[in-house]
Amino acid sequence: MLSITHAQLNPTSPANLSAGQDASLPSPSLSPVTAALNHGVSISSGDVEHGDDLDSSFELPPPRILGSQRNRASPLDSAGSTASLIARGLREKAQAGGVGSDQSNATLMKIPSMLDTFDAMPSEMQTYMMYQFLRRCSKPTLKIVAGVVNPALKVDFLGSLPLELSHNIVKYLDFQSLCRAAQVSKKWRQMIDGNERAWKKVFNKDGYTLPAGELQRAIREGWGWQIPHGEQDFEKDISSYAVCQSEAGTPTSSRTNLLSTAPADESESAIQMPSAGRPKRRMATKFSARKRLKKKESPRRLFEGNDKSNWMSNMALADAPFAAAAAATKAIPNPPVGLPSLRNLHLFKSLYRRHHLIRDSWMEEDIEPGRVAFRAHGQSVVTWLQFDSDKILTGSDDHTINVYDTKTGALRTRLEGHEGGVWALQYEGNMLVSGSTDRSVRVWDIERGICTHVFQGHTSTVRCLQILLPAPIGYGPDGRPIMMPKEPLILTGSRDSTLKVWKLPQPGDVSYFPSRPLSTDADCPYFLRTLAGHQHSVRAIAAHGDILVSGSYDCTVRVWKISTGETLQRLQGHMQKVYSVVLDHERKRCISGSMDNAVKVWSLETGSVLFSLEGHNSLVGLLDLQHDRLVSAAADSTLRIWDPEFGQCRGILQGHTGAITCFQHDSQKVISGSDTAVKMWNVKTGKFMRDLITDLRGVWQVKFNHRRCVAAVNRDGWTWIEVLDFGCARDAFPKEKLGQRIIVNELGQEISDSIEMDLDGNGQVG
């Protein structure tokens, strides 16, 4: 029998009253009476006062139960080192006389037997005893207990799940949550960083796009193994390590990650790192031949073999994040980068980090971009500009189209053939379409620098055009997307008040040139139909799917069905010329800006005006709808940000001193050009951020992508192309040259300011 005193069982006794008042622990869910009854323990009423839960005393369980309780493992066993330190401290105090009395020393010596007694108790009784002990402890003691108990109660729920389920869970996290989760433990870091599909998904969700060739470069240079530190660090080329490994004769089979045997476009499993030990030999079975056949059919074969020149193109065929990661491992297997214990491939995380830092650098005032400038088109106006990470195309009223290298500014080719100013152009891939005051539409091969097709039919200047590619507009009964138009088209609008629809020539098509100077559109095999109805010049067009919207100087907006050429709606309401239109196909609306200072939002279904956005006090010549924000620019030197859903003004951008001639916006910023400067604003707050280019006489065009801003401007009477690169710091660009305006000639060679004065209009020394 175990004897328990009244003071031990009575929490309201005077001896325990002060400790009870300081305690903040809740009462145990299981009362002592219930615990005693569950274990058949007899309790005598003489030991407990009236009102207590326990009657008297407790009987120990049978020896068999005692043994099982004594040998039970505890989740707190790992905290034994802490308990040992505390016990050692108590013994030292006792030996030094710090405990104070022989009675205390005797109590200290009884601790082992007390622990044996506690181990012999049933779990319910242990719960009650622990409650009584804890409610008598001071806060410092409770902190020690919490430091031991809390870690023991934590459960690694991701680690206890199969890897596929863990990957399926983390793919719903945003990038901040992914980064925080990667800091929980080494196991979580390896699992999250190596989840290429999750990082690719968040990469796309946050609006990032991979420029042509960047993924191949990341694989080739080993970005996925690196962890750059800080905004000034950057991804380095460590491909030389792979060459050293090959020369050293390191066995490829012992250091190459393996790709899942699932189809490349459905690969969900992570790339498995090879074990450090010797690979196990497998016994041959009757299924070995079948397994070898499946292995040959898997995407893994795309990255194996001796043909190293072919692995990059093969990777593109297996277009999946894990396939790209497998190619990265094949290119540079396990390089000596960082700590070996933390080394783990994270290809798409490194790409996300790179693009995220580049995007943030736009809004950091203390970060200067790289600047390259070169002359173009003499003193002529640049009427149109389009660029990507490889090339810049400019159209001018000097009848030419120039193609420049985006990185160096070198003039690649000059496209000549138009007999009038080029006022509209657009390119897709290697195919460029241009419209001119010579009333013709020309199709060009950009790489070869030649004109392949000439379309005639308009009787006045081709003022606007659009290349329209097939896009899903719905789903059929079988669940497949309905694509419109059925084939790529060219849409053109002219000052002759008509619009025309042409088939876009495909690579390999036979070139077409009119057989006679005054050929009509009926003679052209690529001509489809004419859209007639406007009474004045067609100034702007916008199209998606099978819907085309046009704005005209006849003060109307028309909605067309492209496949038939019929007019669906004639939108009347503007009092003066319409200069700009955008199509909001998701809401089935269109928006127009006019010389009457108004911006109107129309319903495509009913033709009624939903909102008339008032605020500008001059011509609204430019509109842009992106990322659920409508931005309008006017000749009153202001831009306005609108809610396209409800027509509310979200912000007014003021700071320019003249009419806004060009602008572009995304989910982060607005960049606009006026008479003296190119400015940048925060599109979310409307706050002015910085002047990107100053000391100008005019700004013709401005465009930007994820890392570069390209502007066609007028300096001292000459036309210049200014390229601002906010990502060059991540490509080992010299820090001392950041922010400096580097002038280059038509060969892309840097020249001094003195030579600048001798350049002719095309960047050549006169």
Side-chain angles (χ1 to χ4, degrees), residues 472 474-483:
Y475 294 91
D478 57 355
R480 295 183 179 181
I482 301 173
M483 307 295 289

Side-chain angles (χ1 to χ4, degrees), residues 264 299 301-304 307-319 323 327:
R301 66 185 176 86
L302 298 176
F303 310 103
E304 296 180 346
D307 187 3
K308 294 185 178 180
S309 63
N310 215 17
W311 67 268
M312 193 72 72
S313 58
N314 288 337
M315 185 278 300
L317 297 177
D319 185 16

Side-chain angles (χ1 to χ4, degrees), residues 132-451:
Q132 293 296 340
F133 288 148
L134 293 175
R135 68 191 299 268
R136 288 165 171 79
C137 293
S138 62
K139 287 186 177 181
T141 304
L142 290 176
K143 289 181 179 180
I144 296 176
V145 175
V148 176
V149 173
N150 290 338
L153 297 179
K154 294 180 179 179
V155 177
D156 182 2
F157 71 98
L158 288 180
S160 61
L161 294 174
L163 184 61
E164 292 79 5
L165 291 180
S166 299
H167 281 179
N168 194 52
I169 291 173
V170 301
K171 75 178 183 181
Y172 294 100
L173 302 179
D174 58 17
F175 91 95
Q176 291 181 335
S177 301
L178 286 172
C179 292
R180 293 191 184 104
Q183 300 177 34
V184 170
S185 65
K186 186 186 301 183
K187 184 175 183 180
W188 280 35
R189 174 173 178 163
Q190 293 177 347
M191 177 190 65
I192 291 174
D193 287 1
N195 191 346
E196 304 292 349
R197 188 176 293 275
W199 282 105
K200 181 65 167 61
K201 181 179 179 181
V202 74
F203 183 93
N204 295 334
K205 180 181 177 182
D206 288 354
Y208 299 122
T209 57
L210 283 172
E214 184 173 87
L215 179 59
Q216 288 81 356
R217 179 187 172 193
I219 293 172
R220 182 175 61 251
E221 297 184 1
W223 291 0
W225 297 105
Q226 305 176 45
I227 306 178
H229 299 282
E231 297 178 348
Q232 301 301 323
D233 200 357
F234 56 90
E235 296 79 13
K236 303 175 179 62
D237 186 357
I238 60 172
S239 57
S240 58
Y241 174 72
V243 177
C244 296
Q245 273 194 326
S246 301
E247 293 176 353
T250 307
T252 303
S253 60
S254 66
R255 50 184 171 84
T256 303
N257 292 351
L258 303 181
L259 180 65
S260 169
T261 57
D265 56 348
E266 299 177 358
S267 178
E268 294 283 354
S269 59
I271 299 172
Q272 302 295 325
M273 298 300 294
S275 60
R278 180 179 177 182
K280 296 181 179 180
R281 298 180 62 184
R282 296 184 180 181
M283 181 179 64
T285 65
K286 63 180 180 180
F287 301 104
S288 298
R290 185 182 304 173
K291 290 182 179 179
R292 285 196 298 269
L293 179 60
K294 290 180 65 178
K295 181 178 178 181
K296 290 181 180 179
E297 295 174 350
S298 71
R300 178 181 172 184
R301 66 185 176 86
L302 298 176
F303 310 103
E304 296 180 346
N306 297 323
D307 187 3
K308 294 185 178 180
S309 63
N310 215 17
W311 67 268
M312 193 72 72
S313 58
N314 288 337
M315 185 278 300
L317 297 177
D319 185 16
F322 288 123
T329 309
K330 178 74 175 179
I332 306 178
N334 198 25
V337 178
L339 297 175
S341 60
L342 298 178
R343 190 178 303 148
N344 187 38
L345 181 70
H346 47 275
L347 178 61
F348 277 94
K349 181 179 180 179
S350 67
L351 289 169
Y352 185 96
R353 180 197 302 113
R354 175 183 175 88
H355 284 256
H356 181 76
L357 292 175
I358 291 175
R359 174 182 286 183
D360 284 352
S361 66
W362 286 83
M363 312 305 287
E364 297 293 336
E365 296 182 2
D366 57 341
I367 296 180
E368 289 291 338
R371 297 174 182 267
V372 174
F374 49 91
R375 283 193 184 176
H377 299 288
Q379 296 178 317
S380 301
V381 176
V382 173
T383 58
W384 205 260
L385 184 150
Q386 187 179 351
F387 82 101
D388 55 36
S389 59
D390 176 61
K391 57 188 175 296
I392 301 171
L393 273 73
T394 57
S396 172
D397 64 356
D398 66 359
H399 308 179
T400 66
I401 301 170
N402 289 352
V403 182
Y404 301 94
D405 186 282
T406 303
K407 300 179 181 64
T408 66
L411 177 64
R412 289 184 178 177
T413 186
R414 180 175 290 112
L415 306 180
E416 298 177 322
H418 278 299
E419 298 176 359
V422 179
W423 282 92
L425 66 83
Q426 183 183 349
Y427 71 83
E428 291 288 343
N430 186 47
M431 188 169 295
L432 167 68
V433 181
S434 61
S436 169
T437 58
D438 64 8
R439 301 168 295 178
S440 70
V441 177
R442 287 178 176 261
V443 182
W444 309 79
D445 184 308
I446 300 176
E447 291 183 358
R448 294 191 295 166
I450 61 173
C451 178

Side-chain angles (χ1 to χ4, degrees), residues 89 182 289 314 362 386 511 618 700 720:
N314 288 337
W362 286 83
Q386 187 179 351
S511 299
S618 188
W700 308 130
W720 289 83

Side-chain angles (χ1 to χ4, degrees), residues 475-615:
Y475 294 91
D478 57 355
R480 295 183 179 181
I482 301 173
M483 307 295 289
M484 289 298 291
K486 299 298 185 181
E487 57 184 343
L489 302 176
I490 302 173
L491 308 175
T492 58
S494 170
R495 286 179 178 168
D496 63 8
S497 76
T498 67
L499 301 98
K500 293 185 182 294
V501 183
W502 320 77
K503 291 187 293 184
L504 178 69
Q506 298 300 303
D509 286 358
V510 178
S511 299
Y512 170 78
F513 300 95
S515 57
R516 48 196 174 90
L518 298 179
S519 296
T520 63
D521 48 30
D523 300 326
C524 178
Y526 293 92
F527 172 75
L528 294 177
R529 62 188 57 89
T530 297
L531 309 182
H534 282 297
Q535 304 302 313
H536 210 307
S537 299
V538 178
R539 182 62 173 79
I541 62 173
H544 179 272
D546 199 29
I547 299 298
L548 168 64
V549 176
S550 60
S552 171
Y553 284 174
D554 64 6
C555 309
T556 67
V557 176
R558 285 181 177 258
V559 183
W560 312 82
K561 186 173 183 179
I562 301 173
S563 58
T564 62
E566 62 180 308
T567 300
L568 300 179
Q569 299 288 349
R570 183 172 180 264
L571 310 179
Q572 294 179 287
H574 283 297
M575 305 304 295
Q576 296 190 48
K577 298 177 180 179
V578 177
Y579 272 78
S580 55
V581 294
V582 293
L583 178 59
D584 187 356
H585 64 274
E586 294 182 353
R587 298 181 179 88
K588 297 182 179 180
R589 301 175 180 177
C590 68
I591 307 161
S592 59
S594 169
M595 197 173 181
D596 61 10
N597 311 343
V599 176
K600 294 186 181 295
V601 182
W602 312 80
S603 169
L604 295 178
E605 297 177 324
T606 65
S608 61
V609 177
L610 301 178
F611 306 106
S612 185
L613 311 182
E614 306 291 343

